[in-house]
């Protein structure tokens, strides 16, 4: 069947899809296709040729992206509903949490891994701009530096961008942030950088992590994810994510017989495999350093760009683990570094932060965690050069204040305290 034989609205979408200039543009078209297929009865063609859905899914790109679009559609339906009257919504109503099939989770996590692997391969070719960015940050001479390729472990982000701290599986807080800071699917000027720990502690780590991965696939550099301490196989088995997956409340089917040991272990492995591809740090406008934990005496910015990916972060002695578990200690006055009392990584003082920032011509560092949770949503140390944000409203069975950082063009950075719209 030729394209000209299709209904008018469908025909325009097909042409837009086939002539898409990028995979992301094609994916956005897929979302509109799928909506038309599932809501418009006229989208069905001659029975002998099947339905329009069959025609679309025969396309390679659509087969690749339709699971991602499914996740985004299900989650944004919640976002659209709550944007009208969020105060009237009840976050304890489990029926309003989006649910997924194991097959959909596998498809999205595998697509996320493929996208990250393609980015890693691009960095390995040496065609990326990391060397130019490192040169602008100082402490790097391309003529004398070791000829080791970067791995994509450090992102270079442009402002304006909203920097969000750890989420801890609080689905409602992700919606809250998008409602108050801008929906990235509707506002193309909004950028987000999440600083890790998407699961554990909260009850909805599965939809939270899956939604953010799907958005990262569709939006590219407009929504980027860093790795956190809790985005880890062994940590998740202790702090709740494994138990959440095992209980199966995220499943579309309510049949307990389908929740087998093999099925939930596979779902857990899919998430952990995707976490292993997350980068560890980002630099905004060559001025602001962002990471989940902090600094390590064994890593400068150049060495961070060469951290191997994928990384399972299971060894306590690895440099990546030191980066994730690091925490500030304002009482360190005589020493620059001390072993972290929590068992992994290092505690660092004002001198370590000052040396790192000066070496790389940076002005501030933004981090997503601190050894102690901040009930005010925000802590600053070392003459306000290091900021630590806490972004879930409900954690540790208590209510906190949520704070994000908004990095503006020309180096401006301000913290924004959000309201809890879901009371």
């Amino acid at each position: 069947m030729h394209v000209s034989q299709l209904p008018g609205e469908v025909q325009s979408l097909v042409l837009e899809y086939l002539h898409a200039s990028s995979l992301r543009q094609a994916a956005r078209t897929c979302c509109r296709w799928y909506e038309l297929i599932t809501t418009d009865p006229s989208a069905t063609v001659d029975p002998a040729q099947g339905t329009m859905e069959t025609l679309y899914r025969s396309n390679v790109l659509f087969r690749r992206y339709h699971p991602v679009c499914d996740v985004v559609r299900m989650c944004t339906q919640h976002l659209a509903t709550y944007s009208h009257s969020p105060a009237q919504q009840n976050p304890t109503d489990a029926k309003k949490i989006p649910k997924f099939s194991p097959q959909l989770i596998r498809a999205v996590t595998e697509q996320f891994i493929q996208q990250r692997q393609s980015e890693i391969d691009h960095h390995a070719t040496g065609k990326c701009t990391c060397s130019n960015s490192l040169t602008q940050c100082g402490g790097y001479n391309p003529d004398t530096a070791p000829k080791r390729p970067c791995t994509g472990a450090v992102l270079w982000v442009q402002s304006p961008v909203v920097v969000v701290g750890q989420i801890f599986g609080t689905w409602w807080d992700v919606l809250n942030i998008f409602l108050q800071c801008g929906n990235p699917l509707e506002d193309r000027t909004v950028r987000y950088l999440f600083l890790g720990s998407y699961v554990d502690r909260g009850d909805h780590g599965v939809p939270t992590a899956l939604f953010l991965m799907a958005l990262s696939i569709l939006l590219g550099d407009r929504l980027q994810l860093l790795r956190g301490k809790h985005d880890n196989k062994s940590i998740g088995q202790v702090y709740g994510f494994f138990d959440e997956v095992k209980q199966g409340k995220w499943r579309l089917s309510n049949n307990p017989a389908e929740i087998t040991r093999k099925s939930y272990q596979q779902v857990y492995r899919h998430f952990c495999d995707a976490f292993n591809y997350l980068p560890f740090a980002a630099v905004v406008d060559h001025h602001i350093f962002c990471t989940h934990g902090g600094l390590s005496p064994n890593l400068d910015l150049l060495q961070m760009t060469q951290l191997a990916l994928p990384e399972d972060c299971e060894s306590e002695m690895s440099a990546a683990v030191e980066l994730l578990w690091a925490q500030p200690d304002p009482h360190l006055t005589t020493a620059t570094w001390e072993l972290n009392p929590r068992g992994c990584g290092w505690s660092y003082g004002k001198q370590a932060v000052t040396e790192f920032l000066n070496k790389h011509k940076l002005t501030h560092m933004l981090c997503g965690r601190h050894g102690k949770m901040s009930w005010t949503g925000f802590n600053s140390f070392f003459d306000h050069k290091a900021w630590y944000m806490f972004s879930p409203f409900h954690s540790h069975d208590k209510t906190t204040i949520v704070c994000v950082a908004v990095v503006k063009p020309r180096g401006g950075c301000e913290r924004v305290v959000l309201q809890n719209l879901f009371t």
Side-chain angles (χ1 to χ4, degrees):
M1 183 176 60
H2 194 266
V3 172
S4 61
Q5 297 176 268
L6 301 176
E9 185 177 1
V10 179
Q11 183 181 141
S12 64
L13 286 175
V14 171
L15 292 174
E16 181 179 340
Y17 181 80
L18 295 178
H19 295 89
S21 60
S22 67
L23 292 180
R24 295 191 187 103
Q25 181 181 345
R28 287 194 291 269
T29 308
C30 286
C31 287
R32 293 161 58 193
W33 277 14
Y34 194 76
E35 182 176 1
L36 181 65
I37 292 168
T38 54
T39 59
D40 187 4
S42 66
T44 302
V45 297
D46 191 295
Q49 297 172 335
T51 63
M52 289 304 304
E53 183 174 5
T54 303
L55 175 64
Y56 297 155
R57 289 177 186 266
S58 65
N59 189 289
V60 175
L61 289 181
F62 188 68
R63 289 203 307 270
R64 177 184 300 175
Y65 274 98
H66 85 263
V68 176
C69 298
D70 281 346
V71 171
V72 173
R73 280 172 45 81
M74 285 187 283
C75 295
T76 52
Q77 285 174 356
H78 288 69
L79 188 61
T81 301
Y82 303 140
S83 62
H84 293 93
S85 55
Q88 299 178 8
Q89 307 299 329
N90 182 7
T92 61
D93 188 353
K95 294 182 180 180
K96 295 180 181 178
I97 300 295
K99 297 186 178 183
F100 314 98
S101 66
Q103 294 79 11
L104 189 60
I105 292 175
R106 176 182 178 181
V108 173
T109 52
E110 287 182 351
Q111 178 64 20
F112 181 79
I113 290 174
Q114 291 176 13
Q115 176 170 298
R116 284 293 302 150
Q117 185 62 58
S118 65
E119 294 172 1
I120 293 170
D121 294 340
H122 175 68
H123 284 277
T125 62
K127 298 180 181 179
C128 61
T129 59
C130 291
S131 59
N132 295 334
S133 299
L134 283 167
T135 303
Q136 293 186 47
C137 289
Y140 173 77
N141 186 339
D143 298 326
T144 60
K147 302 300 181 181
R148 291 183 58 190
C150 59
T151 63
V154 175
L155 304 175
W156 306 94
V157 182
Q158 295 180 349
S159 63
V161 60
V162 179
V163 184
V164 183
Q166 51 196 0
I167 293 297
F168 280 150
T170 52
W171 161 253
W172 305 99
D173 295 338
V174 174
L175 299 186
N176 209 346
I177 292 169
F178 286 164
L179 288 173
Q180 297 186 60
C181 298
N183 184 346
L185 291 169
E186 297 178 354
D187 188 349
R188 296 189 177 184
T189 64
V190 176
R191 295 175 184 265
Y192 282 94
L193 176 65
F194 287 80
L195 301 184
S197 287
Y198 310 103
V199 298
D200 284 341
R201 302 195 189 278
D203 296 329
H204 307 299
V206 169
T208 300
L210 199 66
F211 182 37
L212 292 177
M213 286 183 190
L215 286 177
S216 178
I217 294 171
L218 290 182
L219 302 178
D221 59 2
R222 287 181 45 220
L223 191 144
Q224 296 179 301
L225 309 177
L226 298 186
R227 185 152 188 186
K229 181 185 70 174
H230 286 263
D231 308 320
N232 176 276
K233 181 179 179 181
S234 58
I235 298 295
Q237 291 174 336
V238 177
Y239 288 93
F241 185 50
F242 180 78
D243 292 335
E244 177 191 342
V245 174
K246 182 178 180 180
Q247 291 171 4
K249 295 181 180 180
W250 47 268
R251 296 177 65 101
L252 281 173
S253 173
N254 294 324
N255 185 0
E258 295 185 8
I259 308 177
T260 64
R261 178 183 179 90
K262 182 178 180 181
S263 67
Y264 70 72
Q265 286 184 339
Q266 287 177 339
V267 169
Y268 186 71
R269 189 184 73 248
H270 294 325
F271 276 107
C272 293
D273 290 344
F275 292 154
N276 292 342
Y277 282 82
L278 290 172
F280 297 102
V283 179
V284 182
D285 289 345
H286 306 105
H287 290 297
I288 299 176
F289 177 73
C290 303
T291 187
H292 176 73
L295 304 176
S296 166
N298 302 314
L299 292 172
D300 61 12
L301 193 55
L302 171 62
Q303 293 167 325
M304 291 179 193
T305 64
Q306 299 169 347
L307 289 172
L309 290 176
E311 169 62 59
D312 59 13
C313 293
E314 295 295 336
S315 171
E316 296 182 2
M317 304 302 293
S318 71
V321 171
E322 291 182 356
L323 205 60
L324 297 179
W325 281 78
Q327 67 180 39
D329 187 350
H331 303 294
L332 274 181
T333 55
T334 59
T336 306
W337 305 91
E338 284 187 358
L339 290 175
N340 192 333
R342 305 190 71 178
C344 291
W346 297 82
S347 297
Y348 52 92
K350 179 179 178 180
Q351 182 179 347
V353 172
T354 302
E355 290 177 356
F356 180 84
L357 296 180
N358 291 342
K359 178 179 180 180
H360 299 293
K361 301 179 181 179
L362 302 170
T363 59
H364 293 84
M365 59 181 290
L366 305 179
C367 300
R369 71 169 292 272
H370 178 236
K372 297 181 180 179
M373 184 175 60
S374 172
W375 302 110
T376 60
F378 173 84
N379 279 328
S380 65
F381 298 96
F382 316 131
D383 298 331
H384 304 288
K385 292 183 178 180
W387 293 14
Y388 294 81
M389 294 162 297
F390 197 76
S391 297
F393 276 106
H394 304 91
S395 184
H396 300 74
D397 298 325
K398 295 183 179 181
T399 301
T400 63
I401 297 175
V402 163
C403 182
V404 299
V406 178
V407 181
K408 298 182 177 180
R410 300 179 182 176
C413 185
E414 65 179 13
R415 60 186 178 98
V416 177
V417 177
L418 304 184
Q419 298 178 351
N420 187 358
L421 301 180
F422 304 98
T423 55

